[in-house]
Amino acid sequence: MRRTIMLGFGAAGMLAAVPAQADPIPDSIAAMIHAAADTGNAVTLKTVADLAKKTNPNAAKEIDELATGLQKQADDKQIAKVRTQKPWQGWKGQGQAGLNNTTGTTDTTGISLGLNLVRNGIKWRHTVIASANYARQNGVTTANQHAVSYQMDYKLNDRFFVMGLVSWEGDRFSGFERRFSETLGAGYTAIKTPTMTLNLTAGPALRQTRYVPDYQITTGYDDGKLAGRAGLDYSWTIRPGVVFTENATYYGQSGDSTLTANTALTMKVFGRLSVQAGFLVDHETQPPVGLAKTNTTSRLTFVYGF
């Protein structure tokens, strides 16, 4: 009897030591994951895979392996495609247009236009950004802000890169008629996931500014200064179709330093069309006399991706 009991315990122990057999991925779930991979969007694939694991926990490992394999296939395909592209090919971006409300030196409503272009290669990344905010009040122009910049990054590895940036901007209501900036620096990708990225940059810069006249000077005056530049670019895909972004730049120099911060929430409407709510802050530490140090622009724009 004792021997029978011991044998029973031994058999039970052996059974307990055998791992539970994983369930196969249901055909409908596998088809859904393949469809998500075909979109080419890593966030969509991750979201679908996470949902599939919650509804099929016994097949979680197999789902992970399938999603990882499909993502690698998509990455390899994209790399092969990029290697054969011409310089004018492979650009992606978005254009936007809408209304704005400006406070600070002026308190008016007007229009906002913008264009963002990015070409992300194997080693090089090119970014072009252009924007314009314009407003009139009682037949008088009360806001006329425009800027364009080009940034070129060379990727040293998966995290570090070196960058060069040239920009031009004009905004009389922030105290200057035109300003050129040239920057060389280094960058680091602090966060890099399918749903979140954070790039930090820093380096020396040259700035040539033509300020507007004030009550002491009847003509504009030029100022060329060596400055230090720090930048932050953050993007968080809260869920597919909803993206929060924060882009901030600080130029520190003797005299007039500048802080620019652009916060936006973009929500997909349908297809390639989205709506974006944005808030832009421009701060000059020493603008010409009579002008506000801080100007803000609230925007509601339609965004078209391509």
Side-chain angles (χ1 to χ4, degrees):
M1 180 68 177
R2 182 178 180 183
R3 182 178 181 184
T4 302
I5 294 174
M6 293 297 294
L7 288 173
F9 278 116
M14 292 177 62
L15 290 173
V18 176
Q21 185 175 1
D23 292 341
I25 304 175
D27 292 341
S28 59
I29 298 298
M32 185 171 63
I33 295 173
H34 277 275
D38 290 341
T39 65
N41 190 319
V43 175
T44 300
L45 177 57
K46 183 180 184 303
T47 300
V48 171
D50 289 344
L51 179 61
K53 287 189 293 183
K54 288 181 179 179
T55 56
N56 299 268
N58 290 337
K61 181 180 178 181
E62 286 69 21
I63 292 172
D64 270 336
E65 291 176 350
L66 175 61
T68 301
L70 291 174
Q71 185 60 56
K72 186 177 185 306
Q73 291 178 17
D75 292 342
D76 292 343
K77 184 178 179 180
Q78 179 64 22
I79 290 174
K81 180 181 179 181
V82 169
R83 291 187 187 278
T84 61
Q85 286 177 340
K86 307 297 184 187
W88 58 87
Q89 296 176 323
W91 290 89
K92 295 183 179 181
Q94 60 184 28
Q96 56 182 289
L99 300 175
N100 65 61
N101 179 67
T102 302
T103 66
T105 303
T106 61
D107 186 4
T108 61
T109 57
I111 62 172
S112 290
L113 301 173
L115 177 66
N116 290 20
L117 296 173
V118 177
R119 186 177 189 273
N120 201 0
I122 306 300
K123 282 292 186 180
W124 294 92
R125 178 172 54 237
H126 305 268
T127 305
V128 178
I129 300 175
S131 64
N133 296 305
Y134 180 78
R136 291 176 67 84
Q137 187 177 45
N138 299 325
V140 178
T141 300
T142 54
N144 190 5
Q145 179 189 46
H146 31 273
V148 61
S149 67
Y150 167 66
Q151 181 172 329
M152 179 173 59
D153 303 328
Y154 179 77
K155 306 171 190 176
L156 299 174
N157 54 40
D158 192 48
R159 295 281 183 173
F160 289 94
F161 58 93
V162 293
M163 53 84 73
L165 171 69
V166 292
S167 65
W168 173 87
E169 55 187 323
D171 185 2
R172 292 183 61 87
F173 298 95
S174 288
F176 57 91
E177 296 180 353
R178 61 178 181 269
R179 173 182 283 154
F180 293 94
S181 302
E182 305 87 29
T183 303
L184 288 175
Y188 176 68
T189 302
I191 301 175
K192 186 177 183 181
T193 71
T195 59
M196 188 179 296
T197 59
L198 173 61
N199 288 329
L200 305 174
T201 56
L206 289 173
R207 299 212 297 172
Q208 302 86 47
T209 305
R210 183 170 181 81
Y211 289 98
V212 298
D214 58 30
Y215 73 95
Q216 293 176 327
I217 303 176
T218 57
T219 60
Y221 58 100
D222 297 317
D223 182 27
K225 291 286 182 64
L226 178 66
R229 178 190 180 277
L232 176 152
D233 294 294
Y234 175 74
S235 176
W236 174 29
T237 302
I238 301 172
R239 62 181 179 82
V242 180
V243 181
F244 172 83
T245 56
E246 177 68 40
N247 308 103
T249 302
Y250 175 73
Y251 286 93
Q253 65 180 57
S254 61
D256 185 25
S257 297
T258 305
L259 172 65
T260 303
N262 188 9
T263 306
L265 181 67
T266 305
M267 294 169 285
K268 187 174 183 179
V269 179
F270 60 85
R272 296 186 177 186
L273 185 65
S274 302
V275 63
Q276 182 183 95
F279 186 71
L280 175 68
V281 177
D282 286 306
H283 178 77
E284 301 284 335
T285 58
Q286 294 184 20
V289 175
L291 297 181
K293 289 187 176 182
T294 302
N295 290 284
T296 66
T297 303
S298 301
R299 299 187 304 266
L300 184 63
T301 58
F302 286 103
V303 180
Y304 183 80
F306 53 87

